[in-house]
Amino acid sequence: MVFARRLAVVTALSTLVLVGVGVLVRATGSGLGCPDWPLCHGGAVPPSHQESWIEFSHRFVAMLVGFLVIGVAICAWKFYRHVPFIVWVATLTVPLVGLQGLLGAITVVRELPPEIVATHLLTAMIVLSCEIAVAIAMYVEDPATQGASLGSRPGASAIGKLALVSIVWMAFVLWIGGYMTESGAATSCEGWPLCNGSILPASDDHEVVHMAHRYLAGAFAFLIVPLVVTAWRRREEVRWAGAVAALAGVLYTAQVIVGALNVWYTFPDPLTISHTVIAASIWFTLSGAVALAYYSPAVARVPTPLTKAGAPA
């Protein structure tokens, strides 16, 4: 069970790395470095072009994450068969990763349509949430850690509600952000927080998309700030609340600053990559808060080992 729990954590962290590599592909314009799929320029090894190697590295990391997800599902069936939540979420994550691979293939074949690129990013976030939920559930259900109090249930529930609403809102922010970047709307607004000197976009479609992302991201503050305040106030009764408050507050502040710097410096690669990685880290934190707030142990006993068919338990 310790191995399964560690594997689940490694899988979630690897998915976070995969998001970063995916943003590197987008920021460097390497999305079509391999114009075919699953091969790269017709071969299993990419040619000696920087764009091809960057794109191929994303595929390689995605393949590793796929194997890790399958490994977590196998461990779920082997060690946590008595916990339906772990088994089914870990199992359903496998075809979800398959869907993510299909979206990646469509992205390449159709030459980076913005709506598919944005959906590809959001699907990665959903996969990440599933992996975090499985990892936390494995921790709670492990006999070695069962009985370890996570804190007051009413206090945790108050944090969980805010985190859940925040993550739903953030899904829209991420999708429109991915669409904005790939559609070419990222550079349509000069200046921050105004767009070309105005609080409202012009009739230009790119400006409308760009400002829609800013409006949604700005409104997100009305969710994340109450979450940070609530979590911090309840840190004495909910042992993980202080960490959630600190992480969410620092990451959101950094995200706003990096977003402004991106506009002021015309989206240099390091800032573009940082912007999405920080967003994914906020999603990671919110997903963890939701799982910690709402998951309860399925059983209060040590599970028996799997037995052969027909053998007595």
Side-chain angles (χ1 to χ4, degrees):
M1 283 187 170
V2 173
F3 171 78
R5 180 155 44 96
R6 289 176 179 173
L7 181 63
V9 172
V10 168
T11 303
L13 293 175
S14 298
T15 303
L16 198 58
V17 172
L18 176 60
V19 171
V21 178
V23 182
L24 174 64
V25 171
R26 189 176 65 193
T28 58
S30 304
L32 295 177
C34 293
D36 46 349
W37 192 93
L39 301 177
C40 185
H41 290 279
V45 178
S48 56
H49 302 138
Q50 177 179 321
E51 292 80 6
S52 297
W53 276 102
I54 292 175
E55 163 63 12
F56 198 76
S57 68
H58 179 242
R59 296 186 188 183
F60 181 74
V61 176
M63 179 185 69
L64 291 180
V65 170
F67 284 128
L68 288 172
V69 168
I70 293 172
V72 171
I74 292 172
C75 287
W77 280 96
K78 184 175 182 180
F79 299 113
Y80 293 92
R81 201 172 185 178
H82 60 293
V83 185
F85 177 86
I86 294 177
V87 170
W88 287 112
V89 174
T91 302
L92 291 174
T93 305
V94 176
L96 189 58
V97 169
L99 172 62
Q100 178 73 338
L102 178 61
L103 288 171
I106 295 172
T107 298
V108 172
V109 171
R110 292 188 55 191
E111 300 185 352
L112 311 179
E115 65 276 6
I116 300 298
V117 172
T119 304
H120 189 56
L121 172 63
L122 185 57
T123 305
M125 295 297 101
I126 295 172
V127 169
L128 181 59
S129 291
C130 291
E131 292 163 357
I132 293 169
V134 169
I136 289 175
M138 283 182 172
Y139 172 82
V140 174
E141 294 290 349
D142 194 318
T145 57
Q146 268 190 1
S149 174
L150 293 177
S152 160
R153 178 59 60 182
S157 179
I159 300 169
K161 289 176 183 177
L162 286 168
L164 184 59
V165 174
S166 296
I167 206 169
V168 171
W169 187 270
M170 192 175 180
F172 292 99
V173 179
L174 281 170
W175 193 93
I176 197 69
Y179 184 93
M180 176 192 73
T181 302
E182 201 57 48
S183 66
T187 56
S188 63
C189 288
E190 294 184 2
W192 188 94
L194 300 179
C195 177
N196 300 323
S198 174
I199 195 172
L200 296 174
S203 57
D204 179 75
D205 288 346
H206 281 178
E207 287 192 22
V208 171
V209 171
H210 188 117
M211 289 305 289
H213 177 63
R214 288 198 198 180
Y215 295 150
L216 288 171
F220 186 59
F222 294 98
L223 296 172
I224 199 72
V225 171
L227 169 64
V228 170
V229 172
T230 301
W232 185 254
R233 286 178 174 173
R234 296 179 182 268
R235 65 189 184 281
E236 298 297 332
E237 58 180 296
V238 181
R239 71 177 193 180
W240 46 266
V244 167
L247 279 172
V250 170
L251 288 170
Y252 182 71
T253 302
Q255 181 72 334
V256 172
I257 294 171
V258 172
L261 291 173
N262 261 308
V263 175
W264 291 336
Y265 291 97
T266 319
F267 294 87
D269 291 349
L271 288 176
T272 299
I273 295 168
S274 299
H275 193 55
T276 304
V277 171
I278 294 172
S281 299
I282 295 173
W283 183 284
F284 192 107
T285 303
L286 294 175
S287 297
V290 171
L292 286 166
Y294 288 114
Y295 187 80
S296 297
V299 293
R301 63 178 177 81
V302 177
T304 57
L306 292 179
T307 55
K308 295 182 179 179

